[in-house]
Amino acid sequence: MRALLIVALAIPALADTGNAVCARCHAAIAKKYAATGMAQTSGRTGPSAFKEEFGHPNVTASYQLQIEGVTRQLEYFLGSGHIGRSYLFRKAGQLFQAPLSYYSAPKKWDTSPGYETKPYPELTRAVEPACLQCHASPSRPFVDSGVTCERCHGPGEKHAALPGKRNIVNPARLASEQRDSVCAQCHLTGAARIARAGRARGAFAPGEKLSDSIAVFIWDTPEGVEPTATSHFEKLNRSRCRQASGEKLWCGTCHEAHSDSTPAHYNQQCQACHTERKCTGSQSQNCIDCHMPKRAAARSVEHLAFTDHAIPRRPSPPSTQTATALKEFWTGQSNPRDTALAYAAANLDTAYPLLEETAKANPKDIPLLLQLAQYHERMNAEEKAEKLYAQILLADPTNTTAAVNLGTYKIRQGNAKEAMALWLQALARNPALISARLNLAVAQYQSGNATAAKASLKTVLDYEPAHPAALRMLAQLP
Ligand code: HEC
Ligand code: HEC
Ligand code: HEC
Ligand code: HEC
Ligand code: HEC
Ligand code: HEC
Ligand code: HEC
């Protein structure tokens, strides 16, 4: 139950910044950086250092997904291929995720994460803006590949015109929380990320505190979390090294900014601090072999392993706790509004009373009201849900989630005309809302317009050629 988000692919006119501009004066850094996973973590499919193996019956060597009688061109990828790649295709100006991904270790194409439970290959899952925020440049997706210089250094236009140490962010020179925020914008997911009231999700710019634009919540447990792709911050914060040396130790202590580090580099960094209190185990090997072992990732299908950034004395057994409480990273406490939204994002029933309480104090906060309305539905408080959806729509007529859901109440009350109007309004903004269009088809048929119903079902099948309900309904129509 989450708000539907659409990423329309409007490629802006090329502004005179981007990696190529930086490379004019920082050629050595640009060359070195280009070899990293981060630099290669997104782009256009086609010629690149990484090569998939083809051979899956649904994917051609020219990146065409041929499935259920339709073809979709896989135009863009996410992921360097170190672990694997996800793909995006475009239809009618909207970007969608492909139901198949490439997995590098077994060298095969297979169902994308999150698609396993679908009875048919879903082709209308809009790409989440968050994917692009971490893997691409959201302001100009795929114009530049990968994580660009400016994601860590901030806008460089002024600096390029007036070069020097001013007009550009050097993360290493920032105060600790601002410095850590540069990496945390992509490497700290936690259990929930909540955009602060009135701030957009991607509002962060290097030099700021991430916590000014986003509240990141983590599970509040004594043992901490199991490793995931983006748990490095949480883990490092639990290490004795970080706790005892404080803010001196950060991601940049061990990771070189523009290249992938080697074991020798890591050893050097360990030893730079551990001059007096030396290892009581063995020092003959690489420190990280014993103190930063790879551990299997939680909930991983592909047997991924991540490096344990808690730097333990001895490898610790995996956590067996189930956490139910959240706290904000960095501060440990948060305001009631962000806390309520975090519990809702973590899908906990305990969010309900928190949402009800804080909505009273924030009667114009659309993200909050939308979550509350969805919790009203979940808790069978249907009248309250309906009222709230109507209220949201009044305040924000562009809100498709509210329009679609309000429509379902109207149809149940026998008000087909209003329901259809709401669904058409939502579909004009997002034509790929499959269940709304199916509902519309039923309502059209029931109000005697079989021709319109047929057209709606055909549009559904244009987007989702194997949709079982649409196929069944179309076969039943005269
Ligand atoms: C026209 C040449 C030029 C261009 C283009 C340019 N830089 Fe620089 N940059 C410089 C010079 C000169 C310095 C200062 C070096 C010094 O004083 O040691 C510098 C310094 C820096 C520093 C160090 C700042 C510090 O506080 O240590 C960073 C980071 C940087 N540039 C990033 C970028 C990025 C990112 C881009 C692209 C958006 C870029 N530069 C484009 C010339 C350029
Ligand atoms: C909060 C930032 C963040 C978000 C949001 C995010 N990712 Fe990632 N993703 C990462 C990081 C960091 C890694 C690398 C983990 C590593 O190297 O161990 C990664 C790894 C991957 C990989 C494997 C890349 C490789 O190393 O080969 C793929 C594929 C991927 N992500 C796709 C996605 C897709 C699709 C979405 C949206 C549904 C998404 N990611 C959302 C940060 C993010
Ligand atoms: C993942 C974040 C990240 C990206 C992406 C990144 N940098 Fe940096 N950069 C850093 C950090 C961190 C430092 C500070 C390193 C230090 O001093 O410890 C730095 C330092 C610099 C410096 C000054 C110090 C030096 O090494 O000369 C320049 C210049 C620079 N970066 C340019 C670039 C350019 C050009 C790009 C794109 C090709 C780029 N950076 C991409 C994080 C990044
Ligand atoms: C804009 C998002 C973003 C920012 C900012 C960012 N990273 Fe990453 N980072 C990623 C993604 C995505 C990957 C996965 C790359 C891939 O596909 O293999 C990654 C991978 C890595 C890796 C694994 C090695 C590699 O190159 O694949 C390290 C180490 C890393 N990042 C360190 C850092 C550090 C240190 C900083 C801060 C100075 C930072 N990152 C900032 C998104 C980001
Ligand atoms: C910025 C300095 C710094 C760096 C870099 C650093 N450490 Fe530490 N580390 C510390 C401090 C301080 C302690 C706490 C010592 C104490 O308790 O007296 C510590 C504690 C430890 C402990 C004991 C942990 C425990 O639970 O008792 C181990 C093991 C360790 N470090 C290994 C490493 C390894 C391996 C590396 C490199 C990958 C490393 N450290 C890098 C500062 C650092
Ligand atoms: C004490 C040293 C140290 C610090 C500090 C550190 N890392 Fe690492 N990191 C490592 C080592 C060692 C590896 C494993 C490298 C390898 O296998 O080649 C690693 C691997 C990674 C990877 C690749 C995926 C994985 O889990 O193996 C990512 C992403 C990453 N680190 C991100 C971060 C971020 C973000 C921070 C800051 C919160 C950070 N690291 C701080 C030592 C460190
Ligand atoms: C072969 C595995 C192994 C390697 C390699 C290793 N260590 Fe250790 N280290 C251990 C074990 C085991 C302990 C814990 C001994 C104990 O609990 O008494 C330990 C303890 C430590 C401690 C805590 C010391 C104390 O006084 O409490 C530090 C610090 C440390 N190691 C740092 C390092 C550094 C730095 C390196 C690399 C130069 C390294 N270790 C390499 C196994 C190893």
Side-chain angles (χ1 to χ4, degrees):
M1 288 197 313
R2 82 167 82 174
L4 290 154
L5 294 157
I6 325 165
V7 177
L9 192 71
I11 294 184
L14 278 177
D16 191 28
T17 39
N19 288 2
V21 174
C22 313
R24 274 190 229 144
C25 301
H26 302 289
I29 290 178
K31 184 160 181 260
K32 200 163 64 159
Y33 177 65
T36 65
M38 276 193 279
Q40 298 172 37
T41 199
S42 63
R44 265 180 192 279
T45 51
S48 78
F50 179 78
K51 283 265 167 289
E52 297 90 343
E53 276 186 18
F54 294 93
H56 190 283
N58 297 117
V59 192
T60 72
S62 48
Y63 297 96
Q64 283 187 341
L65 178 69
Q66 295 178 340
I67 204 159
E68 302 291 349
V70 298
T71 299
R72 298 283 185 268
Q73 184 67 42
L74 305 178
E75 264 182 89
Y76 308 104
F77 66 86
L78 300 180
S80 67
H82 169 67
I83 300 166
R85 274 181 168 182
S86 299
Y87 301 84
L88 308 177
F89 62 84
R90 201 189 327 206
K91 181 166 170 58
Q94 266 176 281
L95 268 187
F96 298 98
Q97 275 175 259
L100 294 179
S101 292
Y102 189 73
Y103 297 88
S104 303
K107 295 194 173 144
K108 65 169 192 192
W109 294 79
D110 208 339
T111 310
S112 298
Y115 285 73
E116 299 87 353
T117 54
K118 276 280 160 185
Y120 59 94
E122 197 185 357
L123 296 172
T124 46
R125 203 175 284 191
V127 60
E128 292 166 32
C131 308
L132 299 183
Q133 258 152 33
C134 289
H135 285 274
S137 312
S139 58
R140 356 190 296 154
F142 310 112
V143 172
D144 287 311
S145 306
V147 174
T148 59
C149 313
E150 289 175 301
R151 295 304 299 278
C152 292
H153 291 298
E157 221 166 332
K158 276 193 196 157
H159 168 77
L162 253 173
K165 288 205 173 162
R166 265 175 293 149
N167 293 334
I168 195 84
V169 172
N170 183 337
R173 291 189 208 282
L174 296 171
S176 60
E177 193 182 328
Q178 283 86 338
R179 174 199 66 194
D180 294 352
S181 292
V182 171
C183 313
Q185 62 175 309
C186 303
H187 284 281
L188 172 63
T189 310
R193 292 184 132 211
I194 306 300
R196 299 277 190 213
R199 296 292 300 255
R201 240 172 179 280
F204 170 81
E208 300 172 356
K209 288 184 185 177
L210 183 64
S211 59
D212 287 342
S213 44
I214 292 179
V216 182
F217 285 81
I218 60 171
W219 293 113
D220 190 2
T221 63
E223 281 179 36
V225 291
E226 286 303 291
T228 66
T230 50
S231 65
H232 299 86
F233 266 85
E234 289 177 65
K235 288 288 193 183
L236 187 67
N237 255 25
R238 292 180 167 273
S239 73
R240 274 297 294 152
C241 304
R242 165 90 181 187
Q243 284 168 357
S245 56
E247 285 141 7
K248 225 179 106 202
L249 181 62
W250 75 295
C251 314
T253 310
C254 297
H255 294 293
E256 292 169 281
H258 309 122
S259 57
D260 294 331
S261 301
T262 59
H265 173 79
Y266 294 121
N267 275 357
Q268 230 173 37
Q269 303 312 310
C270 309
Q271 281 160 337
C273 280
H274 289 285
T275 46
E276 274 154 37
R277 193 104 182 242
K278 288 215 164 84
C279 184
T280 45
S282 149
Q283 289 187 63
S284 56
Q285 297 158 256
N286 288 320
C287 314
I288 58 174
D289 289 350
C290 297
H291 293 297
M292 295 190 77
K294 295 259 181 214
R295 284 180 52 173
R299 288 169 277 115
S300 155
V301 246
E302 287 298 318
H303 308 290
L304 295 183
F306 295 105
T307 305
D308 191 348
H309 281 57
I311 320 182
R313 294 173 81 88
R314 293 166 184 277
S316 48
S319 167
T320 51
Q321 292 171 324
T322 350
T324 53
L326 296 170
K327 65 175 176 194
E328 200 180 318
F329 195 76
W330 278 304
T331 56
Q333 51 201 3
S334 191
N335 63 58
R337 180 241 183 219
D338 296 347
T339 306
L341 282 172
Y343 277 84
N347 210 14
L348 297 169
D349 282 352
T350 42
Y352 193 35
L354 301 176
L355 289 166
E356 282 202 293
E357 194 51 42
T358 50
K360 284 185 204 144
N362 302 278
K364 293 196 173 134
D365 188 324
I366 302 288
L368 189 62
L369 300 185
L370 205 54
Q371 271 294 5
L372 178 57
Q374 290 173 335
Y375 264 79
H376 281 323
E377 282 194 321
R378 168 178 173 148
M379 301 299 177
N380 299 318
E382 312 236 312
E383 266 174 45
K384 285 184 179 171
E386 183 187 348
K387 227 176 108 194
L388 201 47
Y389 283 131
Q391 193 186 321
I392 294 167
L393 214 52
L394 216 57
D396 174 13
T398 68
N399 198 299
T400 50
T401 309
V404 169
N405 292 355
L406 187 60
T408 60
Y409 288 105
K410 296 293 176 199
I411 197 86
R412 272 187 248 162
Q413 293 154 7
N415 190 345
K417 206 171 146 209
E418 220 174 303
M420 288 192 287
L422 284 162
W423 290 329
L424 282 167
Q425 176 191 332
L427 286 164
R429 298 196 178 278
N430 181 358
L433 295 171
I434 294 304
S435 56
R437 204 177 286 279
L438 277 174
N439 287 343
L440 174 69
V442 174
Q444 284 166 328
Y445 182 67
Q446 285 171 349
S447 8
N449 192 346
T451 317
K454 251 189 198 166
S456 294
L457 291 172
K458 283 187 177 149
T459 307
V460 168
L461 291 169
D462 182 38
Y463 277 95
E464 289 290 9
H467 199 290
L471 287 169
R472 200 173 346 107
M473 281 155 64
L474 194 62
Q476 282 165 3
L477 283 186

